[in-house]
Amino acid sequence: MEKRICLSGWAKCLIVLMPGWLFLTGCSEALSVTATPVKGVDRIQRQETSLDVYCSSGICSFELESNQKVALSVSMFYGEEQPFTKIEGVSVTGESGGSLNIAGPYQFTLEIVPQNTPVAVQVVDYYR
């Protein structure tokens, strides 16, 4: 004897739509941003999507990596409570270079995307 299962309209919709929804949303991975000092960086503090980079000499370089696309806000400091007077230049090597925007005398923003090699950033203060 054969038993048949009848599904309601909602159940049929869920069976059809659920795999597509799972495909579109994927497995959400927590944001992971890595900032690695290369030269002249005393320390880097990270909060969610912002970085405070401490560079007592006024000339430094560091590398950035992320597991997903993220807009980062970077603030440059000589030391505690001593922001850069004025950024003279920021050089970004990698796919994220085109997204660089100077946001103030000691701040800039850039968009990082996952890539095979880290994004290299070099910052020079105007008065150094």
Side-chain angles (χ1 to χ4, degrees), residues 1 9 19 21 37 41-42 51 54 65-66 71 73 75 82 84 86 93 97 104 108 113-114 120 128:
M1 186 159 48
W21 179 78
V41 175
D42 300 325
L51 297 174
Y54 293 86
E65 293 181 274
S66 178
S73 174
S75 299
Q82 296 176 317
F84 272 27
K86 182 179 177 184
T93 305
F108 61 92
V113 295
R128 294 297 159 161

Side-chain angles (χ1 to χ4, degrees), residues 35-83:
T36 306
V38 173
K39 186 176 180 186
V41 175
D42 300 325
R43 73 179 192 278
I44 299 174
Q45 292 179 323
R46 184 179 79 81
Q47 303 82 28
E48 277 304 302
T49 59
S50 66
L51 297 174
D52 291 343
V53 179
Y54 293 86
C55 172
S56 57
S57 70
I59 301 172
C60 59
S61 57
F62 51 95
E63 294 179 337
L64 300 172
E65 293 181 274
S66 178
N67 66 336
Q68 54 187 276
K69 184 177 179 179
V70 61
L72 287 178
S73 174
V74 181
S75 299
M76 300 298 301
F77 295 89
Y78 298 116
E80 288 296 324
E81 306 295 321
Q82 296 176 317

